[in-house]
Amino acid sequence: MNIDSIKNGIVIDHIPAGRGMTLYDLLGLGKLDCPVAIIKNANSSAMGKKDIIKIDADIPVNLDIIGYVAPNVTINIIRDGVLCEKRSIGLPKILKNVIRCKNPRCITSTEQELDHVFRLENAEEKIYRCVYCDTKASSDS
Ligand code: ZN
């Protein structure tokens, strides 16, 4: 795979160095059949070092997961070999099934089929709370 010649796919750029693998795992990219490349510790004029993920397929990715792990990334969508969309995402307001509530008395720990939903309370400090029991999510996962 020539990582610079994606025809139809997604490039996730400006991932903080060291978070590329976390994103790779959370997005389940290891389960895909298509070529996926992670570039670690690439030089970045703005960030010093950064990670980049390139997915050589036009597949839906979970922007909530990406926004939660690395809110300042740039998503580049490539179609027919041309960059057709560049977007930034930021912290999602609602997280659905990205993190799990750690409160053992929370309804989500007994009702297995319930979605794990968190709402953003404070974007600056990246505080999320469970919508069912109000427990604060641990800030790093
Ligand atoms: Zn809860």
Side-chain angles (χ1 to χ4, degrees), residues 4-9 56 77-85:
D4 290 321
S5 64
I6 289 182
K7 244 188 134 20
N8 290 290
D56 199 356
I77 315 249
I78 293 145
R79 297 233 162 81
D80 295 321
V82 218
L83 175 63
C84 74
E85 198 185 333

Side-chain angles (χ1 to χ4, degrees), residues 101 106 130 133:
C101 185
C106 179
C130 176
C133 69

Side-chain angles (χ1 to χ4, degrees), residues 10-106:
I10 303 148
V11 177
I12 309 168
D13 198 359
H14 302 116
I15 304 167
R19 304 233 89 185
M21 270 320 283
T22 310
L23 256 188
Y24 180 90
D25 288 339
L26 281 173
L27 289 171
L29 298 180
K31 295 182 209 115
L32 297 178
D33 287 333
C34 61
V36 178
I38 301 189
I39 296 138
K40 288 160 98 174
N41 300 317
N43 287 314
S44 158
S45 48
M47 305 167 69
K49 297 261 184 240
K50 65 177 180 180
D51 290 354
I52 304 166
I53 295 178
K54 300 191 180 198
I55 305 164
D56 199 356
D58 196 1
I59 51 137
V61 288
N62 189 327
L63 293 178
D64 287 352
I65 293 178
I66 300 172
Y68 178 68
V69 175
N72 299 317
V73 297
T74 312
I75 310 268
N76 300 291
I77 315 249
I78 293 145
R79 297 233 162 81
D80 295 321
V82 218
L83 175 63
C84 74
E85 198 185 333
K86 205 181 179 93
R87 61 162 111 149
S88 43
I89 37 181
L91 281 176
K93 299 259 185 303
I94 295 285
L95 284 178
K96 200 167 158 192
N97 297 324
V98 176
I99 45 175
R100 303 181 77 78
C101 185
K102 295 205 170 68
N103 175 6
R105 285 186 306 239
C106 179

